[in-house]
Amino acid sequence: MKYRLTLDYTVPEGTLAPYFDALRQGRALAARCASCGTTSFPPRPVCGACGGREMAWQALTGRARVVRRADSENGAFALARFDGADELATVALANPAERQAAGRLVAPPDARPGLWLHLENEDDDHA
C-alpha cells in the first residue's frame, strides 16, 4: 500500500533544550540521575530506573555500539548503546552501506530529526 503523508511536527524542547542544542551540533548530552546514578541517552526529565526528578547534564563521547540493526529500502536503523549510557537508543544510520558494529553520533543531515550514527571502525578516533 502506498500512501503519501506530509506532516509538520514541532517537538517542544522545554527542559531538554540543552540536549537538542548539543544534538544539532553532533554532540551527545545525557541526563544522569542524582538519586540512582542512571545515565539516560537520549535524556529524560524523569529517571526511568527510580523515578528521580533531579537530573544533571553529562557529556558523552558520542561513540556507540550497534546492538541490533534493521535495513529497509528506505534506510537503515539500529538499537545502539552509547558509551557512558545505561539505556539503548534508536538511531538512523548515516552511512547504511557500511557494516561496522560501532559508530559515532553525527549532526542530523539536512536538519532531519532524530539521532544519526555514522558507522566507523572502533579504533577510528574522529572528533
Side-chain angles (χ1 to χ4, degrees), residues 44-66:
R44 42 176 59 197
V46 177
C47 179
C50 75
R53 295 185 175 272
E54 189 176 330
M55 307 295 277
W57 293 113
Q58 179 175 324
L60 303 179
T61 65
R63 295 276 308 158
R65 294 205 37 81
V66 172

Side-chain angles (χ1 to χ4, degrees), residues 98-110:
E98 298 298 322
R99 302 309 294 179
Q100 288 90 344
R104 179 176 299 279
L105 182 73
V106 293
D110 303 322

Side-chain angles (χ1 to χ4, degrees), residues 63-66 99-104 117-123:
R63 295 276 308 158
R65 294 205 37 81
V66 172
R99 302 309 294 179
Q100 288 90 344
R104 179 176 299 279
L117 193 68
H118 183 271
L119 298 174
E120 56 190 33
N121 291 326
E122 292 186 57
D123 56 354

Side-chain angles (χ1 to χ4, degrees), residues 41-42 65-68 79-82 85-90 115:
F41 185 80
R65 294 205 37 81
V66 172
V67 176
R68 291 276 189 263
L79 281 175
R81 182 176 306 279
F82 282 81
D86 295 311
E87 300 170 341
L88 298 176
T90 302
L115 298 174

